[in-house]
Amino acid sequence: MIDRPFLSQFSPQRTDPEALEQILVQRHDLLAESVARVRESVLTANKHHLLFIGPRGAGKTHLITLIHHRLRKQPDVGKAARIAWLNEDETATSFLKLLILIYRDLTKRYPAEFPASDLQSVYGMKPDIARETLGASLLRHLGPHTIVLLVENLDSLFKDMPEVEQRTWRAFVQNHPVFATVGTAQSLFSGVSDRDEPFFGFFDTRHLDALTVDEAVTLLKNIARLNKRDDLLDFLGTPTGHARVQAIHDLAGGNPRLYIIFSDFLTRESLNDLVRPFEETADRQLTTYYQERLRWLSAQQREIIQLLCHHPHPIPVKAIAEGLFTTHSTITNQLKLLREMRYLRFHERGREVLYELAEPLMRLSLQVKETHDRRPLSLIVDFLRVWYDRRDLEQRLGNLDAASPIRAYFEEALARLDSGEPNLRHRLLRAGLGELDPLHCDDSALTRLWCLANETKDQFDLSWVAIALMARGKTAEAINVMDEILNLPDLLGGIVALVLPLRGLAYARSMRVEESITDLTRTIDMESQCPLNIGWPLLFRGYMYAEVSKWDFALADFKRLYSIPNHPAAFGPIADELPHRVVEAIFGHTTETPQWSIKITGFFDHVVRCKVLVQVGEALIQHLPKLAASPLNHAAYDTWADAWASASETLAFEDRQRLEIPLRLLRTGIAYLKNKDEGRLLVLPSEERKILREALKLPPERIS
């Protein structure tokens, strides 16, 4: 049996602080900064007052516990500080009662310094006199020390304390700067945010962010490491493990407490004694708080919360309106108010807005109250469905005693798997992807895509993965995925039309020329069977033919491409090299130089129609170094130039003018190539000489 460190799900202050240190995520910098500021408050006259804002389960007590722990480990702080940590469930309706709570805690921690008799002596006095007496006693016994006041649920304390008492409190702290405060609150409240309130501007307020998926993975890894569960630690390091946490994240909403709750199901060797104590603790710790929050709402707002409690995933406004038998317009304003009060969060899906509970713990607390017949809590059942495969659920169920209270959870999880409803894990993974563009996805989204596809083996899911991998330049991995897709049974024609040319492109990137040509040819041949944009396949097959010097085939594809309306202009920058490939392909017929003019003339009709004659002329000049590197003699150089000049005579006057400068530069460039005499270039104006020198890779002309 592994000796498991105790991790309290609802009272982190009861957990060994060293264990809390080991599982800490996200807030290392905030913790270090907070400890430094409290330390400064204790050792200098510069006092700080910190306030951490976050919903239930956000890790506020975890943070305040570690601040307390680190302060106590510093000897100089320990000598100069006197810590008062108020019970989070206590309240005070006056500053006097707050002083009593502070003094009582100091008495328990430092009985020799703060005698209990001083506290007893003020009972029976008039409130004003008692406050003055106890305040003076506190300051007298405190001496040169600083009180570090740790107070949780500060928003509740302010709610119960009248403004006049808050002003008395603020005046005492200002007149006697011996306090450093570290407080927490469920949400930002008017007592510190309203300019007219006594404590406006008093606290340095920090909002605690929800965990990201990566941070949740780190938290679970830390817990697995703490519990010496190397198997779980290894699993969390795999793409599948990461994807499982991503799906769980949609249930937990980035709430650290829920991950600690879920970790019990992952790290305990025995689950028999887990569920009932958890249900009872959740009931005690959560229900009262959330019931109080619900009382603040109108009847219709409570109905919205109750409806969303039964939906573990975001639902659109229309579904909420229909579920409450009201209109879209009626419900919209209430949803906006609940959003502003941080009860709900929303997601946009195109023009549609979807809502869910902002705090998954609220759903858990309501479920606790609704399970009068001791039925399993849906949130925990959903966790089991998402985390475990069927085989795992069946195996764990088989290992449980017949009387085990946890059996009902595994039986319910298996029953829902058999119910015919969509797989929850797959649904959550897809919902988390939202309207993801596979051409622009980060590592996390790609991992989610890949894990979803590996589980579903769905041709659409796999296709998204292939597109995402290609967009990220992971060509070899993309080819493997596309091989898997094209070997699936019952493949849809549209998927084939997408994946086949994509694999052809991947082969082209990898210079697997023959395989690329095969896939692209199959794609082009499909045009007769279904409407298909064959522009891309033609473009890349032509490039591949050119790579293996199959010039006739390359020219045939380029010519066909130029005959398609709006092509190749629709390809953008990737087609910019097409005129260069055309010139190269025509020139490739070096053994049939008389054919040059015929081939050039045959192409002019297409390039004129596509308005790329200027680009072809530029490509002709850029081709000069390849002309020089060819085995042709000087006479063939002239034949090449003559072929272009002769073909241009077939053009209309305006088009001939567009080729006038390129042909002049071509002739001059050839004259230079024959004897490498730069003086030949001087027949050109300076602007044209500069263009030609760059094409011939000559250094800039020296100006004297």
Side-chain angles (χ1 to χ4, degrees):
M1 178 77 67
I2 296 176
D3 184 18
R4 300 178 69 256
F6 172 67
L7 293 179
S8 176
Q9 299 163 346
F10 294 93
S11 302
Q13 67 270 29
R14 296 179 55 220
T15 299
D16 179 358
E18 293 299 334
L20 294 179
E21 289 276 12
Q22 291 183 54
I23 68 172
L24 182 68
V25 294
Q26 188 198 70
R27 293 165 187 157
H28 297 87
D29 291 343
L30 177 60
L31 174 59
E33 178 192 348
S34 300
V35 170
R37 300 190 75 182
V38 177
R39 174 184 172 82
E40 182 183 20
S41 300
V42 171
L43 301 179
T44 73
N46 190 15
K47 307 303 182 187
H48 297 283
H49 304 277
L50 312 179
L51 176 59
F52 302 109
I53 305 290
R56 286 269 172 169
K60 300 183 297 300
T61 304
H62 188 153
L63 182 62
I64 207 171
T65 302
L66 288 181
I67 291 173
H68 174 260
H69 173 60
R70 291 192 181 185
L71 289 173
R72 292 188 63 187
K73 290 173 66 176
Q74 300 179 19
D76 53 347
V77 173
K79 291 178 182 179
R82 294 298 178 261
I83 297 174
W85 191 344
L86 304 190
N87 187 319
E88 65 177 322
D89 294 323
E90 290 183 313
T91 190
T93 56
S94 68
F95 178 56
L96 168 60
K97 293 178 181 177
L98 178 61
L99 272 179
I100 291 173
L101 295 179
I102 294 171
Y103 195 94
R104 180 185 297 156
D105 193 71
L106 290 172
T107 297
K108 292 177 182 177
R109 294 172 184 270
Y110 314 96
E113 299 179 31
F114 299 90
S117 58
D118 283 12
L119 182 59
Q120 294 299 321
S121 68
V122 302
Y123 291 117
M125 295 181 181
K126 291 184 177 181
D128 289 350
I129 297 174
R131 185 182 66 235
E132 294 296 329
T133 302
L134 187 58
S137 178
L138 176 68
L139 295 172
R140 183 175 65 255
H141 294 306
L142 184 64
H145 303 112
T146 295
I147 294 177
V148 177
L149 178 61
L150 307 179
V151 52
E152 300 183 74
N153 296 329
L154 196 64
D155 45 347
S156 296
L157 181 60
F158 271 67
K159 177 175 174 287
D160 295 332
M161 186 181 290
E163 182 181 332
V164 64
E165 294 293 337
Q166 293 179 32
R167 292 192 182 280
T168 304
W169 176 9
R170 176 71 185 263
F172 186 90
V173 173
Q174 284 183 315
N175 294 332
H176 307 288
V178 295
F179 285 91
T181 312
V182 180
T184 70
Q186 309 295 334
S187 59
L188 192 61
F189 54 98
S190 61
V192 298
S193 62
D194 192 327
R195 290 182 175 275
D196 296 328
E197 296 292 332
F199 279 86
F200 175 76
F202 181 79
F203 289 97
D204 178 5
T205 302
R206 305 294 180 89
H207 290 267
L208 301 185
D209 295 328
L211 298 181
T212 65
V213 173
D214 287 339
E215 288 164 349
V217 171
T218 301
L219 173 58
L220 290 174
K221 282 183 176 180
N222 290 345
I223 295 173
R225 199 175 287 113
L226 184 68
N227 287 284
K228 299 180 175 58
R229 287 294 305 273
D230 292 339
D231 55 337
L232 176 59
L233 190 62
D234 292 341
F235 179 68
L236 289 167
T238 66
T240 301
H242 194 280
R244 296 285 168 88
V245 179
Q246 285 181 311
I248 291 298
H249 195 261
D250 293 328
L251 295 175
N255 187 290
R257 177 172 291 160
L258 274 175
Y259 281 103
I260 292 175
I261 291 171
F262 291 154
S263 72
D264 260 337
F265 286 85
L266 303 177
T267 58
R268 283 185 183 257
E269 293 180 356
S270 174
L271 297 174
N272 288 341
D273 300 325
L274 171 64
V275 173
R276 292 297 177 243
F278 163 71
E279 291 174 346
E280 293 166 2
T281 306
D283 189 11
R284 290 195 307 270
Q285 296 281 349
L286 295 179
T287 305
T288 303
Y289 167 72
Y290 284 114
Q291 283 179 336
E292 181 64 24
R293 288 197 67 190
L294 287 175
R295 288 193 189 101
W296 299 347
L297 304 178
S298 69
Q300 189 173 57
Q301 289 170 342
R302 290 199 299 272
E303 286 181 334
I304 293 173
I305 296 297
Q306 290 161 1
L307 175 70
L308 292 176
C309 174
H310 296 285
H311 291 272
H313 52 85
I315 61 174
V317 179
K318 179 182 178 183
I320 298 172
E322 291 176 350
L324 297 178
F325 299 94
T326 187
T327 63
H328 187 287
S329 58
T330 301
I331 213 72
T332 299
N333 187 53
Q334 298 300 332
L335 290 170
K336 180 176 181 294
L337 291 173
L338 288 169
R339 230 168 66 190
E340 293 171 350
M341 291 188 290
R342 299 181 182 272
Y343 283 82
L344 304 182
R345 59 182 177 180
F346 71 101
H347 309 268
E348 293 181 334
R349 186 173 65 189
R351 295 183 178 180
E352 196 173 40
V353 180
L354 293 84
Y355 285 89
E356 65 179 339
L357 295 181
E359 299 182 38
L361 284 172
M362 178 177 283
R363 177 183 298 116
L364 180 60
S365 71
L366 294 176
Q367 288 175 359
V368 168
K369 280 301 179 186
E370 290 177 355
T371 54
H372 302 296
D373 55 356
R374 311 292 279 180
R375 291 188 60 192
L377 299 175
S378 294
L379 185 63
I380 304 302
V381 173
D382 286 345
F383 164 73
L384 296 176
R385 295 167 63 198
V386 169
W387 189 264
Y388 295 114
D389 289 323
R390 170 184 291 279
R391 183 178 59 183
D392 296 325
L393 291 171
E394 291 173 341
Q395 181 180 354
R396 287 176 176 272
L397 180 61
N399 293 335
L400 292 172
D401 297 333
S404 170
I406 194 67
R407 285 189 65 88
Y409 280 82
F410 284 93
E411 289 170 346
E412 180 70 14
L414 283 167
R416 293 194 190 181
L417 284 179
D418 294 331
S419 67
E421 66 179 79
N423 184 291
L424 178 60
R425 181 164 64 242
H426 299 167
R427 189 176 70 199
L428 289 172
L429 286 172
R430 284 200 178 94
L433 292 170
E435 296 188 359
L436 173 75
D437 179 359
L439 295 175
H440 305 92
C441 67
D442 56 18
D443 289 340
S444 177
L446 178 57
T447 298
R448 183 183 286 238
L449 270 176
W450 205 331
C451 290
L452 175 64
N454 279 337
E455 290 202 10
T456 65
K457 297 302 179 184
D458 178 83
Q459 53 191 281
F460 290 98
D461 294 335
L462 286 166
S463 298
W464 273 52
V465 172
I467 295 170
L469 289 170
M470 284 291 289
R472 292 168 64 85
K474 298 178 180 291
T475 307
E477 296 171 61
I479 289 173
N480 291 335
V481 174
M482 289 185 279
D483 288 344
E484 182 177 358
I485 295 171
L486 293 172
N487 285 322
L488 290 173
D490 304 321
L491 203 57
L492 297 174
I495 294 294
V496 177
L498 169 68
V499 175
L500 198 60
L502 192 63
R503 189 174 68 173
L505 172 58
Y507 284 144
R509 281 186 183 175
S510 305
M511 293 311 296
R512 294 166 63 173
V513 175
E514 294 300 332
E515 290 165 293
S516 176
I517 290 173
T518 298
D519 273 0
L520 296 173
T521 299
R522 285 178 60 193
T523 304
I524 294 166
D525 291 344
M526 288 174 62
E527 185 190 22
S528 60
Q529 303 171 18
C530 63
L532 189 66
N533 184 343
I534 62 169
W536 287 103
L538 282 171
L539 179 70
F540 285 103
R541 189 176 70 171
Y543 285 176
M544 290 297 98
Y545 279 139
E547 288 292 338
V548 291
S549 300
K550 294 185 177 181
W551 307 114
D552 279 333
F553 292 109
L555 283 171
D557 279 353
F558 296 153
K559 187 179 290 187
R560 185 175 173 186
L561 183 62
Y562 275 124
S563 68
I564 300 175
N566 300 323
H567 289 303
F571 299 126
I574 199 168
D576 288 348
E577 67 172 296
L578 182 54
H580 298 268
R581 296 296 187 113
V582 168
V583 171
E584 183 182 38
I586 294 172
F587 180 74
H589 296 270
T590 53
T591 58
E592 303 177 31
T593 52
Q595 296 294 315
W596 279 340
S597 182
I598 297 173
K599 293 186 179 296
I600 295 168
T601 302
F603 242 94
F604 272 166
D605 286 344
H606 300 288
V607 298
V608 168
R609 184 172 60 253
C610 292
K611 299 180 181 180
V612 292
L613 192 61
V614 171
Q615 290 90 326
V616 171
E618 293 170 353
L620 184 60
I621 305 308
Q622 297 299 321
H623 185 261
L624 277 167
K626 292 187 177 180
L627 177 65
S630 72
L632 298 180
N633 57 33
H634 292 175
Y637 290 2
D638 292 327
T639 302
W640 175 245
D642 290 343
W644 283 93
S646 174
S648 69
E649 294 298 323
T650 64
L651 299 174
F653 175 73
E654 289 184 0
D655 293 326
R656 286 203 305 274
Q657 283 189 313
R658 292 189 176 91
L659 280 180
E660 183 178 340
I661 293 177
L663 289 175
R664 182 164 64 246
L665 295 179
L666 176 63
R667 292 284 192 190
T668 306
I670 287 173
Y672 163 78
L673 291 176
K674 288 179 178 179
N675 54 25
K676 303 299 176 67
D677 179 7
E678 293 188 22
R680 298 279 189 173
L681 306 182
L682 296 175
V683 299
L684 299 174
S686 60
E687 296 84 356
E688 293 181 11
R689 291 201 305 274
K690 181 179 179 181
I691 294 172
L692 188 55
R693 293 184 74 89
E694 289 176 356
L696 293 168
K697 299 180 173 23
L698 296 174
E701 200 172 78
R702 286 192 295 178
I703 301 175
S704 57

